[in-house]
Amino acid sequence: MYEEMDTLIEKASILIEALPYIQKLYGKTVVIKYGGNAMINEKLKNWVMEDITLLKYIGVNPIVVHGGGPDINSVLKKLKVESQFVNGLRVTDMQTMEVAQMVLVGKTNKELVSMLNQKGGKAIGICGIDGNLIQARKHYEYVNGEKIDLGYVGEVVSINAKVLEMLAKDEYIPVVAPIGVGEDGTSYNINADTVAAEIAKAIKAEKLMFMTDVEGLKYDKNSKEIISAISADEVLKMIDEGKIDGGMIPKVLGCIDALKHGVNRTHILDGRIPHCILLEIFTDKGIGTMIHL
Ligand SMILES: NC(=[NH2+])NCCC[C@H](N)C(=O)O
């Protein structure tokens, strides 16, 4: 009997640990990038959708930005569309872009929206074309001083914050597919990490969170311990020293850029940990890597 009571009281103390964070985040916006590989597993996806829905119901306004690499690749394969590579970088030709848009907007985005709605959230899926949300231009990659044309790969010119604010400040959860639109109406495929950071900047989000499928930042690749909190300067030093993996670089740079433009806290989480969003936001220690100025 008493033991039962103790566990119950422990549950209350967990909720009380969350109280200062709920107060701090109440009415504020949190941008969550939910990426490619962390999205494949249905069980993980369910936990993420529950966390996001819970955020909304306690008065925090989440905005979700998703990737979709694995979904796009599998459809490209089925359609037997072969990708060209220049210097190891994939070129997004017209046909690939068409498939990417179809899959990201038609499949990945709607799956997430439907799952959130299933959990009781009111999600609305949009891409950068809707309401001119993500204005973009063609991006050129420079490799050893050489300008490389990657086709329909874009970079963000500006974000129409109003579209997102309208939804997020109301009862909706915006779910954004990272397709941008050029002045002439051309669609561009844009790195979802960059889109998440640009959105966080434009709407002056309180938090930006990246969910990955790796453990997180470490000082030493072979160590088990992930870095719990680190400053932007320290991260830049680690990049210089070659200590941060390639795939992680757009995320940490996104975090730093967002911090410098008014976002309060940024986090990189291992999306394979059940309920990683709640654990990071509502506990003192968190479970991921927090990057601060
Ligand atoms: N990885 C960490 N050190 N996280 C600490 C998180 C602290 C607090 N819950 C927040 O979201 O701001």
Side-chain angles (χ1 to χ4, degrees):
M1 163 70 190
Y2 281 115
E3 227 167 20
E4 242 173 70
M5 197 58 160
D6 283 348
T7 10
L8 278 174
I9 294 174
E10 205 177 306
K11 283 183 184 159
S13 73
I14 294 170
L15 289 168
I16 292 306
E17 181 176 344
L19 179 60
Y21 302 112
I22 296 176
Q23 285 169 330
K24 198 170 160 217
L25 286 174
Y26 188 81
K28 303 269 171 64
T29 308
V30 174
V31 175
I32 299 167
K33 155 72 201 305
Y34 186 34
N37 287 317
M39 264 167 41
I40 299 176
N41 180 315
E42 285 303 309
K43 211 161 153 192
L44 292 180
K45 223 183 255 168
N46 248 297
W47 287 324
V48 173
M49 297 302 121
E50 281 170 354
D51 288 10
I52 294 170
T53 306
L54 188 140
L55 282 179
K56 188 75 188 183
Y57 274 90
I58 58 173
V60 184
N61 299 326
I63 293 178
V64 181
V65 178
H66 65 84
D71 268 349
I72 299 172
N73 288 342
S74 90
V75 176
L76 284 172
K77 211 166 152 192
K78 274 186 207 145
L79 295 175
K80 299 198 168 59
V81 178
E82 302 240 336
S83 295
Q84 306 294 318
F85 288 84
V86 182
N87 287 22
L89 298 167
R90 171 184 292 156
V91 176
T92 304
D93 59 12
M94 172 96 84
Q95 204 186 2
T96 306
M97 183 61 222
E98 249 175 50
V99 173
Q101 183 168 319
M102 260 161 39
V103 175
L104 275 174
V105 180
K107 178 175 187 287
T108 321
N109 186 277
K110 292 313 159 221
E111 266 171 24
L112 294 177
V113 168
S114 171
M115 276 183 96
L116 280 168
N117 290 348
Q118 215 72 56
K119 298 288 174 201
K122 293 196 178 80
I124 292 198
I126 51 178
C127 77
I129 305 170
D130 298 285
N132 274 327
L133 171 64
I134 307 171
Q135 285 134 51
R137 65 171 160 246
K138 187 176 166 81
H139 169 80
Y140 288 98
E141 195 71 36
Y142 289 87
V143 178
N144 302 327
E146 193 192 336
K147 187 174 176 181
I148 296 178
D149 187 339
L150 296 175
Y152 294 89
V153 173
E155 58 192 29
V156 176
V157 175
S158 65
I159 300 285
N160 183 359
K162 199 175 156 200
V163 177
L164 290 173
E165 276 161 1
M166 250 170 48
L167 299 169
K169 289 242 157 34
D170 205 329
E171 58 190 320
Y172 302 104
I173 304 172
V175 178
V176 181
I179 304 270
V181 63
E183 255 176 348
D184 61 355
T186 307
S187 291
Y188 292 102
N189 197 1
I190 309 182
N191 180 303
D193 293 338
T194 321
V195 168
E198 291 293 338
I199 287 178
K201 278 163 62 179
I203 58 165
K204 305 225 175 321
E206 172 68 23
K207 262 189 201 306
L208 168 62
M209 311 184 93
F210 286 101
M211 306 188 51
T212 66
D213 55 353
V214 293
E215 284 178 300
L217 286 194
K218 294 176 182 176
Y219 286 118
D220 170 10
K221 271 188 193 126
N222 303 316
S223 111
K224 272 201 151 51
E225 208 181 317
I226 67 150
I227 303 171
S228 173
I230 184 168
S231 74
D233 286 340
E234 275 180 280
V235 171
L236 289 174
K237 203 169 135 228
M238 283 179 72
I239 295 180
D240 273 350
E241 289 165 352
K243 284 188 180 156
I244 296 186
D245 271 354
M248 198 57 109
I249 289 180
K251 299 181 207 303
V252 296
L253 290 180
C255 287
I256 295 172
D257 190 26
L259 287 165
K260 291 193 169 149
H261 288 86
V263 174
N264 228 331
R265 287 185 167 181
T266 64
H267 309 252
I268 294 178
L269 309 183
D270 181 350
R272 299 167 304 181
I273 299 175
H275 299 294
C276 61
I277 300 176
L278 298 186
L279 291 172
E280 178 68 11
I281 297 185
F282 297 119
T283 64
D284 297 328
K285 286 203 184 110
I287 41 89
T289 301
M290 179 166 84
I291 305 179
H292 51 84
L293 273 189

